[in-house]
Amino acid sequence: MNWLRYHLFALSDAFNHFRRAPGSFLLNVLVVAIALALPFAGMTVLENVRPVTEQLTVQPEISVFMQMAASRDQAVATASAIREDLQHNGSDAKIVFIPREKALDALKSKTGLSDALTTLGNNPLPDAYVVKLTGFQIDAAQVDKIADQLKTLPHVDTVQIDSAWVKRLAALLHILRLALLFLAVTLGVVVVAVVFNTIRLQVMTQYDEIEVSRLLGATDAFIHRPFYYTGALLGACAGAIALAAVAAGLQPMNQAVAEFARLYGSEFLLAPLQPIAAIVLLGLSALLGLLGAMLSVRRHLGRLG
């Protein structure tokens, strides 16, 4: 009960400090909230993009285009050679043969160039295979190795990896995550510095009160505790404002996002963070405030003592 009473007293004392100088407290909260809003916004965007990227097929597909001079029998016989190469690399795959006639019909129906293609007379498209790799964990180096081997098969003209863009997207998201982590660490240091300076000024302002408390027998822990709560509450309030600002900013941003997504036949919209993620971020904000307060109190009260 004594422990609980001490902490309740420290928390009450922290709120009393806020009431004494509400303008200074709100200004410091605003500065910290601005610093936190940037990584919070970046995390919100990445959390919204992550489910979309998980739904994208990352299964590599290799398109094998035959030479125009290759006969249909030669093209069909190439399937066994493709299967042998895949088995040699320890990969199971679904091999789909696309006759040149079927490819031409699909091109006419999807592009609206039926009349233009008809005027060409001869079919300009070759027979082709689509190889869907399924038998191993996705490895860009192994996919490239298989593609290089398929290029050496007789009567094969061109080999193209159709899922390379998915790998590029995954690499881009990885870079964005690292950039967000660097930004979060940098601005976290800013938050600690702001709280550090705020608590330093508060310690200087209450120097006489601290000295009287020591003369009355107050321990260092008893004196330090209200400042710790002050830093933690400052960080938590700033985190709440940053989360609210990011959530409010999603509405106008979604108007532009919706127009862009509509061009690709999608209805993608940005959503606020899930409650659990928001609580974790609030906890991290409070922890940064507590860290700044601890560093400041131990440094400046140690000097005053």
Side-chain angles (χ1 to χ4, degrees):
M1 292 301 295
N2 287 335
W3 179 87
L4 180 60
R5 185 167 62 251
Y6 290 152
H7 280 273
L8 289 177
F9 174 80
L11 183 60
S12 175
D13 195 22
F15 279 111
N16 288 333
H17 294 325
F18 297 159
R19 286 195 292 268
R20 292 173 190 171
S24 176
F25 171 71
L26 291 176
L27 182 61
N28 287 320
V29 167
L30 181 61
V31 172
V32 175
I34 293 174
L36 292 174
L38 290 176
F40 285 7
M43 183 175 179
T44 301
V45 172
L46 287 179
E47 282 297 306
N48 278 272
V49 172
R50 181 175 57 82
V52 177
T53 58
E54 289 177 351
Q55 294 174 2
L56 293 174
T57 175
V58 294
Q59 183 181 28
E61 294 184 357
I62 301 178
S63 296
V64 181
F65 298 97
M66 307 302 297
Q67 297 174 353
M68 292 295 298
S71 65
R72 177 58 51 81
D73 291 339
Q74 291 172 332
V76 172
T78 304
S80 59
I82 294 175
R83 192 169 289 105
E84 289 178 3
D85 277 352
L86 294 174
Q87 291 176 352
H88 179 72
N89 286 278
S91 170
D92 296 327
K94 180 180 180 182
I95 302 175
V96 180
F97 178 65
I98 303 178
R100 55 191 305 189
E101 297 81 9
K102 182 178 179 180
L104 181 63
D105 292 339
L107 183 62
K108 289 180 179 179
S109 62
K110 293 181 179 180
T111 62
L113 299 177
S114 178
D115 294 338
L117 292 172
T118 301
T119 60
L120 294 177
N122 296 328
N123 186 348
L125 301 178
D127 292 325
Y129 286 92
V130 175
V131 181
K132 300 181 180 180
L133 303 175
T134 58
F136 62 95
Q137 186 68 25
I138 302 305
D139 183 355
Q142 189 172 1
V143 174
D144 292 339
K145 177 182 177 182
I146 293 175
D148 290 338
Q149 292 178 352
L150 294 179
K151 290 178 183 178
T152 62
L153 295 179
H155 311 296
V156 171
D157 184 27
T158 306
V159 175
Q160 179 179 337
I161 303 175
D162 299 332
S163 298
W165 68 275
V166 178
K167 301 174 189 175
R168 297 190 188 102
L169 177 60
L172 177 60
L173 290 177
H174 180 65
I175 293 174
L176 291 178
R177 291 189 185 97
L178 291 178
L180 178 61
L181 177 61
F182 176 77
L183 179 65
V185 172
T186 303
L187 294 178
V189 174
V190 173
V191 171
V192 172
V194 171
V195 176
F196 182 93
N197 188 61
T198 300
I199 300 301
R200 179 183 68 84
L201 295 176
Q202 188 171 321
V203 169
M204 298 301 179
T205 302
Q206 297 180 237
Y207 175 70
D208 293 336
E209 181 181 338
I210 293 171
E211 286 299 311
V212 172
S213 299
R214 282 177 171 170
L215 292 175
L216 293 176
T219 63
D220 286 343
F222 182 85
I223 296 173
H224 294 181
R225 203 173 290 124
F227 296 106
Y228 294 166
Y229 275 106
T230 300
L233 288 173
L234 194 155
C237 292
I241 293 176
L243 286 172
V246 172
L250 292 180
Q251 184 60 34
M253 186 179 295
N254 272 332
Q255 296 178 1
V257 171
E259 294 178 0
F260 179 78
R262 199 175 297 116
L263 298 176
Y264 293 89
S266 174
E267 297 181 356
F268 176 76
L269 291 175
L270 296 172
L273 291 172
Q274 296 295 323
I276 294 179
I279 292 173
V280 170
L281 291 180
L282 283 177
L284 290 176
S285 302
L287 186 61
L288 288 174
L290 176 62
L291 177 61
M294 292 177 64
L295 293 175
S296 182
V297 166
R298 293 182 179 182
R299 177 179 177 84
H300 296 100
L301 282 182
R303 286 183 174 181
L304 292 177

